[in-house]
């Protein structure tokens, strides 16, 4: 059983350590991080999951970006501590945070990831939405939180601010 809560500034170092543990060195050199630099994360959607002892088991973050001048959520990173992987926690974090995003009026969300994994949440490939290089275009995925929200929304992904 995990308790979900909004990530707080006090969680920041612990969450960053989790991301460092779960992802390859140099993760901050990825193009998605250029879109996040000096832009505050969407705090109300960024979540931590702690076990019954209060130990951080997983985390998910969201960032605002623009596609065709339309505000869009950029999901990621999402990570689960290696000792807790395989328990379905990443899926819970994703579903929980997407429900919050929908309730708060966000219309569309995108990410860079593996389509076979994210398809179960409704994500599909976004043809015509271009992440900064060197992102593989086959890994650019999107989900409509409101029907039709991705219709006609194409072009480069840009910083929100």
């Amino acid at each position: 059983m995990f308790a979900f809560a909004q990530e707080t500034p006090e969680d920041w170092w612990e969450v960053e350590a989790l991301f460092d543990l779960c992802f390859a060195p140099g993760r901050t050199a990825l193009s998605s991080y250029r879109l996040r630099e000096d832009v505050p994360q969407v705090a109300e959607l960024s979540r931590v999951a702690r076990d019954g002892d209060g130990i951080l088991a997983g985390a998910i973050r969201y960032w605002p970006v623009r596609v065709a001048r339309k505000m869009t959520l950029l999901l990621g990173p999402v990570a689960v501590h290696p000792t807790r992987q395989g328990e379905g926690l990443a899926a819970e974090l994703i579903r929980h945070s997407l429900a919050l995003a929908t309730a708060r009026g966000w219309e569309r969300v995108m990410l860079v990831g593996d389509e076979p994994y994210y398809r179960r949440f409704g994500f599909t490939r976004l043809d015509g939405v271009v992440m900064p290089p060197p992102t593989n275009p086959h890994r650019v995925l999107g989900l409509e939180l409101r029907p039709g929200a991705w219709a006609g929304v194409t072009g480069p992904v840009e910083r929100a601010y």
Side-chain angles (χ1 to χ4, degrees):
M1 196 71 176
F2 298 101
F4 293 83
Q6 181 174 322
E7 181 183 338
T8 67
E10 292 76 28
D11 295 320
W12 191 85
W13 285 106
E14 197 174 7
V15 171
E16 284 295 310
L18 175 65
F19 291 152
D20 286 344
L21 176 65
C22 293
F23 297 107
R27 68 179 169 87
T28 59
L30 297 171
S31 60
S32 57
Y33 277 85
R34 300 299 69 76
L35 298 167
R36 298 173 181 142
E37 276 180 349
D38 300 319
V39 175
Q41 67 191 37
V42 180
E44 63 187 9
L45 302 178
S46 297
R47 299 285 174 203
V48 294
R50 295 186 178 277
D51 68 14
D53 294 321
I55 298 170
L56 182 69
I60 189 168
R61 286 181 174 161
Y62 286 85
W63 306 85
V65 294
R66 291 188 186 272
V67 181
R69 293 188 230 165
K70 306 274 187 194
M71 287 300 291
T72 302
L73 283 173
L74 177 63
L75 186 162
V78 58
V80 172
H81 193 279
T83 61
R84 304 315 298 251
Q85 290 177 2
E87 298 177 17
L89 180 54
E92 284 187 58
L93 280 165
I94 292 167
R95 286 188 182 101
H96 175 77
S97 59
L98 288 174
L100 287 172
T102 302
R104 285 173 171 73
W106 286 90
E107 297 184 2
R108 72 194 63 75
V109 61
M110 64 174 298
L111 59 83
V112 177
D114 296 322
E115 186 177 8
Y117 178 81
Y118 288 101
R119 186 181 307 128
R120 67 176 135 161
F121 307 106
F123 284 88
T124 59
R125 213 166 116 202
L126 288 174
D127 294 319
V129 173
V130 182
M131 284 287 290
T135 306
N136 178 341
H138 297 289
R139 295 175 50 82
V140 178
L141 309 175
L143 173 70
E144 292 181 339
L145 300 177
R146 181 188 54 77
W150 277 110
V153 180
T154 60
V157 180
E158 299 173 326
R159 293 169 49 89
Y161 312 109

